[in-house]
Every structure is written in structure tokens, then in C-alpha cells.
Amino acid sequence: AQKVTQAQTEISVVEKEDVTLDCVYETRDTTYYLFWYKQPPSGELVFLIRRNSFDEQNEISGRYSWNFQKSTSSFNFTITASQVVDSAVYFCALSERGAAGNKLTFGGGTRVLVKP
Amino acid sequence: GAVVSQHPSRVICKSGTSVKIECRSLDFQATTMFWYRQFPKQSLMLMATSNEGSKATYEQGVEKDKFLINHASLTLSTLTVTSAHPEDSSFYICSARDRRGKVGPEQYFGPGTRLTVT
């Protein structure tokens, strides 16, 4: 069974600080996909990134960066120079290839509050 | 591209009534649609997976007679909450998978429907 753990339930930072969100996953599959989503107060999920299990390269997109480490089953997300607009709940999710319908398993989410 | 809509965005109904939520893929055909429920300050929990033209597959603990799912076409799935009670109040989110997607489990999410049962 697949499982995603986001140990941090809430993080509060001051604007311009960096913030790292942890994500640890469990799966028996060798082929799987990892995602990060942002959920602002409006509720709509915003897709941030998808990474497959064979691609361990770290990725940077603007102020966002992701660190995928298969050896520790982690897929951490860092927001550099945080802004108030980054305040949201962030979810890490896992999908196993071949799982019925490729269903997603979400972590518990981390609420990020960026104060001005 | 890959837009998913939900209707209504917000609904209030009385206890004991039924309410239907629609999920539409606007610019692609979806072989598979998913329905999630999210309680306040909690994560998304998958309720069921629906495939066009066949019965939905429900997750353990989800009452299929209470949450009726119909996926009658490649662009529309509906979730009907029957005999709703206050404990059914939640944020319901659908997602759809593009039938053309052969690689990767891309799911496109709708904006969600907030259900309040009084």
C-alpha cells in the first residue's frame, strides 16, 4: 500500500525567509510518480510539479525547488524568498504505475503562513 | 487546455434531501474521473474512481448507496449525495484523466464544490 507523510502540519515564516516542506513516501512499486500541489484559500488545487521515479534530478522553477532522494524516499519542496502569496496548504502526493486508475494518495498537507 | 469544471461551486441543502454535483472535462475526453472529499483542515481522501460506461469503484468505507456516481459520457461524471446529513458537509473535488494520456498519471482537478447540509 502506498503512503505519503508530511510531518509538518503548519509552518509560519516571515516574508523573504526560505521554507522547506518535507515529504516522505512509501511504495512497493519501482515505477511511481510524485506530485506537489498548492491549495490556496479558494480551495482549488494548483499543480506544481510531477516527478517520476526514474528521474532523480532536482528541479528549480523560479523560487520553487524540489529535492528528490530515492535512497531516503523523500521528495522535499523549498520555497526561496517566500512571499505572502505563498500562504497556502501544500500537498505531496504519490501515484503508483498500474494502480487502478492511477489513483493518487495525498499526504496530510502542510499549511504555510507567510507573514509580511 | 485540460480544464475541469464543477457545478455548483457551493450548495446548501436541508438534511434528508439529495444533491447532485457535476464534474465536466471541458476540452478533453476523460476515461477516468475521481471523486475526493476534503474535510476542513484535512487532506483529500479518494472516495471513488469512475470509468466511462461502467460502475464506479468505491474506496473502503465509502457507502456506494449514499454517494451515487454516474459517468455517462467521456466528459461528464456526477456525484449524488443521497439523503444528506450534516456530517456529509464537506468540500468535494473531482479530477479527470485525459484518455490520450498513455504515460504518467496526469489528473486535472476541478475547483471543488462546498456542500453544507443544515
Side-chain angles (χ1 to χ4, degrees):
Chain A
Q2 53 193 46
K3 183 180 178 182
V4 178
T5 302
Q6 294 179 252
Q8 308 141 307
T9 55
E10 187 164 326
I11 300 175
S12 182
V13 297
V14 177
E15 209 169 16
K16 297 185 183 177
E17 287 184 345
D18 297 347
V19 56
T20 295
L21 311 181
D22 298 332
C23 173
V24 175
Y25 62 91
E26 295 176 29
T27 177
R28 295 180 183 173
D29 265 15
T30 55
T31 303
Y32 52 88
Y33 304 89
L34 295 162
F35 301 79
W36 275 96
Y37 291 91
K38 174 183 180 180
Q39 188 177 42
S42 64
E44 185 162 1
L45 281 176
V46 178
F47 168 81
L48 297 178
I49 191 172
R50 182 192 83 178
R51 180 53 48 116
N52 74 52
S53 52
F54 295 108
D55 182 1
E56 286 193 73
Q57 282 194 348
N58 292 326
E59 183 158 339
I60 297 175
S61 176
R63 296 184 296 107
Y64 295 168
S65 62
W66 291 269
N67 184 348
F68 178 27
Q69 302 235 338
K70 268 178 99 166
S71 60
T72 56
S73 298
S74 65
F75 186 42
N76 297 337
F77 171 36
T78 297
I79 303 172
T80 303
S82 61
Q83 299 176 1
V84 172
V85 292
D86 295 326
S87 296
V89 180
Y90 292 85
F91 291 99
C92 180
L94 166 71
S95 177
E96 292 174 338
R97 183 175 180 177
N102 291 116
K103 56 185 181 181
L104 284 169
T105 297
F106 284 85
T110 299
R111 183 176 301 274
V112 173
L113 178 60
V114 182
K115 299 177 182 176
Chain B
V3 178
V4 176
S5 71
Q6 277 184 247
H7 178 79
S9 58
R10 200 176 276 270
V11 58
I12 301 173
C13 71
K14 292 187 176 180
S15 189
T17 62
S18 296
V19 60
K20 180 186 286 188
I21 302 170
E22 291 186 349
C23 177
R24 292 181 186 273
S25 55
L26 298 185
D27 52 0
F28 66 98
Q29 293 182 322
T31 43
T32 305
M33 288 184 169
F34 304 86
W35 286 95
Y36 297 84
R37 179 169 54 186
Q38 185 181 30
F39 291 111
K41 298 193 176 183
Q42 293 189 25
S43 187
L44 283 76
M45 297 300 295
L46 180 66
M47 298 175 66
T49 303
S50 77
N51 293 295
E52 185 262 340
S54 62
K55 290 184 179 180
T57 302
Y58 290 81
E59 295 299 300
Q60 194 170 10
V62 178
E63 299 175 60
K64 61 181 180 182
D65 294 331
K66 180 169 184 60
F67 299 100
L68 301 179
I69 292 172
N70 185 286
H71 191 160
S73 77
L74 284 170
T75 59
L76 172 65
S77 176
T78 60
L79 167 67
T80 301
V81 183
T82 62
S83 187
H85 291 286
E87 56 266 30
D88 298 323
S89 298
S90 187
F91 191 53
Y92 292 86
I93 305 172
C94 74
S95 70
R97 186 157 183 258
D98 191 331
R99 73 179 302 191
R100 297 165 302 176
K102 293 180 181 179
V103 178
E106 304 295 356
Q107 288 185 30
Y108 302 99
F109 285 85
T113 296
R114 193 164 302 282
L115 169 64
T116 304
V117 184
T118 60

